[in-house]
Amino acid sequence: MNQEKIIIAGGAGLVGFNLIAHLISIKYTNIVVLDKHIANLSMLKKIYPGLSIFYADLSDKGVWDSYLKNAKTIITLQAQIGGNDYGEFHRNNLLSTKNIIDAAKNYNVDNLIHISSSVINTSSTDFYTTTKRMQEKIILNSGLPFIILRPTLMFGWFDRKHLGWLRKFMKKTPIFPIPGNGKYIRQPLYVKDFCKIIVSCIKNKRK
């Protein structure tokens, strides 16, 4: 059993579900999940009734920061991915990150693993890519020991968007439309492989 305390901020999504499953499979027992997606949190509690799972709006300072006490690692998965309201991106990508950094400093968490995105390297200038770039700058200027990971499009268990949605669509229809010439290449990342990379960062304190 490994009782090192790990905080997963925004842990009720695709990566969070798979990361929790992987951590438990390799005997990590002190995992704390913070998220504000009520339906996903409820599902997590049903799957892992013994896990420490808490509702928390990380864009607001509050009692949630006390959960970081004695934590060794914090993984920042929280992100606003879609939508038309810039305010939501500002709150969930920027304010939440600033609040987490303040809490991490307050409780001397010395291993920050920030999950960014490969969109950082694109020419896109939408709300998501803009705030993800700004989010990285917040991490870079935080003064905390950190590592930034930039995964590309992922697939796997609990994938309700992208490839997961396409798979369900293909099962329901005998005809599947492919735009253009069908030769567009996409190399998605299997989410369990990504979770193994995160665990390597937890164990080896990579910076």
Side-chain angles (χ1 to χ4, degrees):
M1 295 296 181
N2 188 325
Q3 295 185 4
E4 176 180 331
K5 188 175 184 179
I6 297 172
I7 308 294
I8 306 178
L14 169 63
V15 178
F17 267 71
N18 284 273
L19 179 58
I20 292 163
H22 185 55
L23 286 169
I24 290 174
S25 73
I26 57 176
K27 309 303 181 184
Y28 277 82
T29 60
N30 195 356
I31 304 166
V32 178
V33 180
L34 304 175
D35 205 301
K36 65 175 181 178
H37 196 296
I38 295 174
N40 288 3
L41 286 175
S42 178
M43 190 180 304
L44 264 180
K45 289 178 180 178
K46 289 180 181 178
I47 299 172
Y48 305 111
L51 207 63
S52 298
I53 300 170
F54 303 103
Y55 173 87
D57 185 344
L58 302 171
S59 65
D60 290 327
K61 290 184 179 292
V63 296
W64 61 262
D65 68 355
S66 64
Y67 297 124
L68 274 68
K69 185 178 181 180
N70 299 321
K72 297 297 183 183
T73 297
I74 182 164
I75 302 160
T76 53
L77 286 170
Q78 85 288 350
Q80 179 76 24
I81 297 174
N84 298 315
D85 182 358
Y86 177 78
E88 292 298 309
F89 288 88
H90 180 76
R91 286 180 59 84
N92 297 319
N93 293 348
L94 303 181
L95 289 182
S96 66
T97 303
K98 291 178 181 177
N99 289 339
I100 288 169
I101 287 171
D102 288 344
K105 287 181 177 179
N106 187 42
Y107 289 101
N108 298 312
V109 182
D110 61 0
N111 191 30
L112 172 63
I113 302 172
H114 174 61
I115 310 306
S116 185
S117 170
S118 61
V119 299
I120 296 294
N121 296 317
T122 70
S123 58
S124 299
T125 56
D126 54 40
F127 291 159
Y128 177 63
T129 55
T130 299
T131 53
K132 289 300 284 186
R133 291 186 183 107
M134 294 168 69
Q135 188 182 44
E136 280 201 9
K137 290 181 179 178
I138 293 171
I139 300 293
L140 288 166
N141 296 323
S142 69
L144 294 172
F146 69 87
I147 186 166
I148 293 176
L149 303 176
R150 294 175 176 171
T152 184
L153 176 69
M154 283 179 278
F155 72 98
W157 176 53
F158 204 73
D159 176 15
R160 296 177 172 180
K161 306 175 184 176
H162 307 307
L163 296 178
W165 184 88
L166 290 174
R167 177 183 59 80
K168 290 180 181 179
F169 182 79
M170 293 172 77
K171 287 178 69 175
K172 292 180 179 180
T173 176
I175 299 174
F176 187 78
I178 300 176
N181 58 17
K183 295 181 180 180
Y184 296 105
I185 296 175
R186 191 69 189 255
Q187 187 174 4
L189 173 63
Y190 183 41
V191 67
K192 286 189 178 181
D193 289 336
F194 185 56
C195 290
K196 290 177 182 178
I197 293 171
I198 296 174
V199 169
S200 175
C201 296
I202 293 172
K203 290 181 176 180
N204 299 303
K205 303 293 188 290
R206 299 181 187 277
K207 301 295 181 288

